[in-house]
Amino acid sequence: MVSLTRHIREQQRLSPEVVGDLSDMMTQIALGGKRIARDLCRTGLTDMIGTTGETNVQGEQVQKLDERANQIFVEVFEQSEIVRIVVSEEMAEPVVVPRAARSGSYAVFFDPLDGSSNIDVNAPLGSIFSIHRLDAAGHFLKEGGDQLAGGYLLYGPGTLLVYTCGDGVHQFTLDPRDNEFFLSIANVHVPACGAIYSVNEGNRSKWSADVRHVIDSFQEVDPKTGRLYTARYTGCLVADVHRILLKGGLYLYPGEVKKPEGKLRLMYEAAPLSFVVEQAGGIGSTGVERIASIQPKSPHQRVPLIIGSRDDVERVEQFLSGRCRQLDC
Ligand code: AFP
């Protein structure tokens, strides 16, 4: 049994000093995940269901558990002497961690509870994290390709932690008997193509003709291969992308005619998930450019996301970027 701590300590690609820092930060993230998982187990028995009455920086209703999960992650990072900046979906402004205001050399971006519409119905939820090193000037808004580590927790029937620090993707499962994460899949590889597509088809009337054409193509039998896709959508990005990571296919949250930037957030949704999927051999794209090379302009910036198996995403990219007007080329 390989624990998360031991796994990180054995990373060869990073300097011993960075390995030590990463181990500390991942221990804190794992601690936050354990606390959230424990709270979620008691959903319905506590008064944590429902909204707080507040609206967050995204203009969305804040659920009580969103607020609780955010508080848990902020508390675990407040113990840190190396994380200087914390950016959360639930906080309008980046927060400077007092203990690390001078010494800290990292910024952590996170979505504390992804898929909040699933809270009331006991469906899967997630937390997403992304770690960047600050540069000499203390800048923390960097492109996805600059991440030191990224990953997510998935709260389903079991609790999983999936992470990459640029040397493959590794899945850990929380063993409730020891309250410890142990390696359950090393070096995850996303199949080069798959037969699952994942998109909220209720948004169809908001899409461009090109996006509609792409989605329609999943409902036709591929004349060359005979492949017919099947649809899966949970409303929790982490759960939907995790399925694609293991089984292949693609997840799409495209831009809309009146909202070309789409819904998902670059720094704590699209970029860390793209880091994971690309490390597993897949692609994370907006449809016209790779997520990893987008230079962010603001902490809560949104981007369209098309992510998953290499061949499936490339096929869509070629069509949407106009490089090929045939979806089957
Ligand atoms: P939050 O729960 O963190 O706000 O995220 C929800 C989410 O961004 C992502 O988890 C889902 O894939 C997506 O929204 C679902 O959105 P739709 O309800 O628009 O399909």
Side-chain angles (χ1 to χ4, degrees):
M1 299 276 267
V2 178
S3 69
L4 177 63
T5 318
R6 184 176 137 200
H7 192 268
I8 295 167
R9 294 230 170 252
E10 288 173 359
Q11 290 296 318
Q12 307 281 330
R13 217 180 56 86
L14 305 171
S15 70
E17 189 200 339
V18 173
V19 166
D21 289 350
L22 183 60
S23 172
D24 287 356
M25 290 185 279
M26 289 299 296
T27 302
Q28 296 303 95
I29 289 168
L31 178 63
K34 288 175 196 173
R35 289 185 180 163
I36 292 170
R38 197 186 52 203
D39 282 1
L40 293 177
C41 284
R42 299 178 63 232
T43 305
L45 300 177
T46 58
D47 67 347
M48 292 309 284
I49 295 234
T51 63
T52 61
E54 305 285 314
T55 304
N56 69 11
V57 61
Q58 326 287 341
E60 295 160 352
Q61 291 268 304
V62 178
Q63 303 281 328
K64 289 182 185 171
L65 273 167
D66 280 327
E67 192 176 74
R68 171 85 184 123
N70 186 60
Q71 183 192 7
I72 286 173
F73 276 117
V74 169
E75 275 171 18
V76 298
F77 291 121
E78 271 172 1
Q79 305 308 313
S80 173
E81 289 177 359
I82 55 174
V83 175
R84 194 192 305 177
I85 310 277
V86 172
V87 177
S88 162
E89 184 194 0
E90 299 302 332
M91 302 189 299
E93 299 297 333
V95 165
V96 176
V97 177
R99 289 175 65 153
R102 286 167 185 273
S103 56
S105 1
Y106 298 93
V108 178
F109 296 77
F110 61 94
D111 178 353
L113 204 59
D114 169 68
S116 329
S117 69
N118 286 354
I119 293 172
D120 296 355
V121 295
N122 197 32
L125 292 154
S127 301
I128 312 175
F129 60 89
S130 166
I131 303 174
H132 286 261
R133 238 175 304 193
L134 301 175
D135 63 18
H139 293 142
F140 61 94
L141 269 185
K142 312 274 200 61
E143 57 189 43
D146 171 81
Q147 287 170 95
L148 171 64
Y152 53 83
L153 288 126
L154 172 56
Y155 313 104
T159 299
L160 303 180
L161 187 153
V162 174
Y163 93 101
T164 181
C165 59
D167 195 13
V169 176
H170 313 287
Q171 176 190 289
F172 295 78
T173 301
L174 180 62
D175 187 335
R177 295 170 305 182
D178 301 322
N179 201 28
E180 189 66 69
F181 283 99
F182 292 107
L183 185 64
S184 44
I185 312 181
N187 291 309
V188 179
H189 281 286
V190 59
C193 63
I196 297 171
Y197 78 99
S198 187
V199 66
N200 183 346
E201 305 213 49
N203 290 330
R204 185 180 170 82
S205 64
K206 302 175 193 163
W207 296 332
S208 67
D210 276 0
V211 171
R212 281 206 294 267
H213 186 55
V214 165
I215 309 297
D216 287 349
S217 76
F218 300 131
Q219 294 156 3
E220 306 287 336
V221 180
D222 183 332
K224 276 191 196 150
T225 60
R227 175 172 53 171
L228 181 62
Y229 286 84
T230 192
R232 293 284 184 272
Y233 194 75
T234 67
C236 169
L237 174 67
V238 167
D240 289 321
V241 170
H242 187 66
R243 184 199 306 275
I244 299 297
L245 181 75
L246 298 189
K247 307 264 185 204
L250 73 179
Y251 173 96
L252 309 93
Y253 211 110
E256 296 165 3
V257 174
K258 291 192 180 154
K259 200 177 161 195
E261 70 280 17
K263 175 181 184 185
L264 301 180
R265 279 53 60 114
L266 173 63
M267 298 306 290
Y268 42 80
E269 291 185 317
L273 294 179
S274 296
F275 190 21
V276 167
V277 167
E278 298 215 338
Q279 276 292 312
I283 294 176
S285 170
T286 64
V288 293
E289 69 179 314
R290 295 294 156 91
I291 296 288
S293 51
I294 298 175
Q295 192 58 54
K297 295 188 181 65
S298 68
H300 299 292
Q301 179 173 341
R302 296 175 193 263
V303 279
L305 180 65
I306 298 168
I307 187 168
S309 292
R310 192 192 58 226
D311 294 356
D312 291 298
V313 176
E314 270 178 356
R315 189 174 77 100
V316 174
E317 261 185 338
Q318 288 190 356
F319 180 77
L320 290 180
S321 63
R323 288 200 295 275
C324 173
R325 295 312 293 168
Q326 295 277 306
L327 261 168
D328 59 358
C329 62

